[in-house]
Amino acid sequence: MSENFDLLVIGTGTAGLSAAHATAAAGWKVGIVDALPYGGTCALRGCDPKKILRRGAEVVESAALMRDRGIVDDGLRIDWSALQRHKRGFTDAMSRQVEAGLEDGGVTTLHGTARFVGRDAVDIDGEVHRAERFLIASGAAPKPLDLPGSEHVIDSTAFLGLETLPERIVFIGGGFISFEFAHIAARAGARCTILSRSERPLRGFDPDLVDRLVERTRSAGIDVRLSTTPASVRQTRSGAFDIRLAGTDDAVEADMVVHGAGRAPALDGLELDAAQVAHDDRGVTVHPHLQSTTNPAVWAAGDAAATRGRPLTPVASSEGSVAASNMLTGATTAPDYTGVSSTVFTIPELTGVGMTEAAAREAGHDVDVRFSDTGSWYSNYRVGEKAAAAKIIVDAGDDRILGAHLFGPEYAEAVNVFSMAIALGLTAEQLRAMPASYPSVGSDVASML
């Protein structure tokens, strides 16, 4: 049955859920729709299930690092099917919980494919619904691969759902997905290859620490090939795949090929032109306060919006909340992206917040770089990990922390301290004075400064 809403949200990921709950709590009639199970990429097909699988890899790697240090790990291995069951113990219940929470909050839950049929109307599988406002929070999807044989390449969702792990896996692309999944699969016994088109993978992270991660990745038995572009993927008679490499006569053989070459806003099928909503390959074109530049009834948040925010769950949550607040109050507040960290959950992890050294210099800061090789520090000696480092960027003029870039075990937790410091404008001296639980990774922060 067709309905009229104060707000209709397209997408049930972090951004959409934040806005739907906030506006419904304020008394609006709110609807939300998704063609996929409720919960979005992070909870169902990304961050959360990935990190559950990573736990198995962490255990195996932790034992291996302590070999000859008191731990005998003979025979220790990952039972991939059992690990997948553990993952599904979380993901299988999530959609029902999300939908029940929305319904308890008074939100009308709809299922189907939404497409605009006017400036104030969408069709959902044959039923037209109208609303005073729309929030596009449809997330992102893998970028199309312009590659002969791309039909043989699986995406990240399919990888996270594998019931059995193949012996040889090639990951196309040098980003988060390829590095994180390769680190998991390698500890589970697969032979992994990463093909990075760029000489410098993981752009956006400190290049010196990326170099250390690449070296550590190779030491884990993963073949990292930089400046390498796949030219085609061909399935052989045996069922394996032959990946030809551009500009050479070389090829890589694999039992599975995984798309790790980036994601793009998931706007296909929404028919935004029918609602006169401007958009490009970065997402829906919005004002800083997240309202469409061409249709004031439409807002966008998260990966679907062309904003300064990086495609991260905390950014999506913040943008969804800000969009809802602006709709409710008529304000034009822009999201604050200060202090948002980003982490590549390899083993160990690479993380960063704030400006890189290069960005700080380009912005005109008098830069004081405080670099530490932390591989011999107590926290890392304790667990047997020698590959670790920290680079803290400080303004020499006022002692403010501009950026923090860390590579090492548990540093995804340590970076949160730097995120807070950057968000609050704390100085290095103030952060050094922070009492920390000892001995903990957090107690290393003062020494990093």
Side-chain angles (χ1 to χ4, degrees), residues 34-212:
D34 207 322
L36 296 171
Y38 276 33
T41 297
C42 185
L44 301 179
R45 303 176 293 277
C47 327
D48 293 344
K50 168 199 72 185
K51 206 170 180 196
I52 292 174
L53 296 181
R54 181 186 187 258
R55 180 56 185 157
E58 287 175 331
V59 170
V60 168
E61 183 64 16
S62 294
L65 288 172
M66 292 298 292
R67 191 178 298 145
D68 301 326
R69 295 176 173 87
I71 300 299
V72 178
D73 65 336
D74 293 347
L76 181 66
R77 64 180 181 84
I78 291 175
D79 181 334
W80 185 262
S81 295
L83 186 60
Q84 281 284 9
R85 287 196 298 274
H86 176 52
K87 180 210 73 177
R88 290 196 302 272
F90 174 82
T91 57
D92 284 359
M94 183 55 60
S95 293
R96 294 190 299 273
Q97 293 173 4
V98 168
E99 188 163 2
L102 288 164
E103 291 171 349
D104 289 346
V107 178
T108 299
T109 56
L110 304 167
H111 295 267
T113 301
R115 62 182 181 88
F116 281 92
V117 292
R119 289 176 64 88
D120 66 346
V122 297
D123 176 287
I124 302 173
D125 290 354
E127 289 188 349
V128 175
H129 301 266
R130 297 187 181 276
E132 292 291 322
R133 303 160 197 85
F134 297 88
L135 176 69
I136 298 173
S138 49
K143 291 180 180 178
L145 285 176
D146 184 15
L147 179 70
S150 61
E151 67 273 13
H152 301 304
V153 182
I154 70 167
D155 62 14
S156 57
T157 299
F159 177 87
L160 288 172
L162 290 174
E163 283 301 319
T164 58
L165 198 65
E167 183 178 344
R168 301 169 299 172
I169 307 175
V170 165
F171 295 90
I172 296 177
F176 285 73
I177 290 172
S178 292
F179 274 86
E180 291 177 339
F181 288 6
H183 271 253
I184 294 169
R187 270 65 176 217
R191 299 205 306 272
C192 299
T193 301
I194 296 173
L195 305 179
S196 172
R197 180 189 302 268
S198 173
E199 176 64 27
R200 179 186 160 193
L202 297 167
R203 291 189 175 275
F205 289 89
D206 179 85
D208 295 329
L209 299 190
V210 170
D211 287 345
R212 289 176 178 246

Side-chain angles (χ1 to χ4, degrees), residues 9-32:
V9 178
I10 301 172
T12 59
T14 307
L17 294 176
S18 297
H21 281 294
T23 50
W28 279 12
K29 183 177 181 182
V30 179
I32 193 167

Side-chain angles (χ1 to χ4, degrees), residues 28 81 95 282 293 317 417 425:
W28 279 12
S81 295
S95 293
R282 294 181 56 243
T293 58
S317 178
V417 177

